[in-house]
């Protein structure tokens, strides 16, 4: 779901940005994020209410069902931000500047490891600590990528060669 919205956003943002129309590029990114958020809210509700049943389709092992359902429930709370993260990855691709997205994603994915260890072992949360670390890093990545895209777009110039869309410029 998220990747589909990311690709669509990359395409729309890239078209508008390439045409020298930064406001429309920004609107495309915001609309992509809003639309993806609505889809992810629906998915979140389904997983919060039916995680065990869904996992049960794939396995009958009660230990796996409990662990996987716990993961789905804890992370479904941040599915909207997971979608926002993916959409803004696409938006960065659309303007041809994936470096900010790369740094934010890399840093917070790496920070998941020590955070997961602290929460799992030091805080005594076990496997739930790992899932919570993933949720925390997803929250940070989604929020920062959205913020950084808006800032980056404000400080960039569209390409010199501007292609007109429908004769408008």
């Amino acid at each position: 779901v998220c990747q589909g919205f990311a690709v669509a956003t990359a395409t729309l943002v890239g078209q508008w940005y390439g045409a020298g129309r930064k406001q429309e590029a920004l609107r495309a990114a915001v609309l992509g994020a809003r639309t993806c958020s609505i889809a992810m809210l629906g998915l979140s509700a389904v997983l919060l209410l039916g995680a065990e049943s869904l996992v049960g389709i794939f396995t009958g092992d009660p230990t796996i069902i409990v662990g996987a359902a716990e993961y789905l429930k804890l992370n479904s709370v941040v599915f909207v931000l997971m979608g926002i993260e993916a959409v803004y990855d696409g938006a960065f691709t659309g303007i041809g500047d994936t470096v900010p997205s790369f740094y934010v994603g890399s840093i917070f994915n790496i920070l998941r490891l020590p955070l997961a260890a602290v929460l799992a072992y030091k805080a005594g949360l076990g496997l739930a600590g790992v899932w919570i670390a993933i949720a925390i890093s997803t929250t940070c990545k989604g929020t920062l990528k959205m913020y950084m895209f808006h800032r980056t777009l404000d400080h960039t110039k569209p390409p010199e060669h501007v292609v007109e869309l429908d004769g408008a410029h």
Side-chain angles (χ1 to χ4, degrees):
V1 173
C2 298
Q3 288 311 111
F5 282 103
V7 170
T9 300
T11 302
L12 293 171
V13 167
Q15 284 180 324
W16 288 119
Y17 187 75
R21 297 172 68 175
K22 286 177 22 175
Q23 279 307 111
E24 286 84 353
L26 179 60
R27 276 201 294 270
V30 170
L31 180 61
R34 284 183 186 156
T35 308
C36 186
S37 294
I38 291 167
M40 295 307 284
L41 271 174
L43 183 58
S44 291
V46 168
L47 292 176
L48 278 170
L49 299 173
E52 289 86 0
S53 298
L54 181 64
V55 175
I57 293 170
F58 300 98
T59 182
D61 185 325
T63 304
I64 294 174
I65 291 173
V66 168
E70 182 179 55
Y71 168 80
L72 290 174
K73 287 179 180 178
L74 284 170
N75 279 283
S76 68
V77 174
V78 296
F79 273 3
V80 168
L81 286 164
M82 185 184 298
I84 289 171
E85 176 190 0
V87 165
Y88 280 98
D89 282 342
F92 275 113
T93 300
I95 64 169
D97 184 7
T98 57
V99 173
S101 186
F102 168 76
Y103 282 125
V104 169
S106 297
I107 290 167
F108 283 97
N109 283 341
I110 290 168
L111 289 175
R112 278 181 178 173
L113 300 173
L115 180 58
V118 167
L119 293 173
Y121 299 112
K122 297 275 187 194
L125 296 175
L127 187 56
V130 175
W131 304 152
I132 292 168
I134 292 170
I136 289 169
S137 67
T138 298
T139 300
C140 294
K141 291 188 303 178
T143 304
L144 277 171
K145 286 180 181 183
M146 179 174 57
Y147 170 76
M148 290 180 76
F149 179 76
H150 288 257
R151 265 187 73 80
T152 300
L153 195 61
D154 284 343
H155 295 93
T156 60
K157 280 179 64 175
E160 293 293 322
H161 173 71
V162 175
V163 177
E164 291 188 19
L165 297 177
D166 299 326
H169 189 265

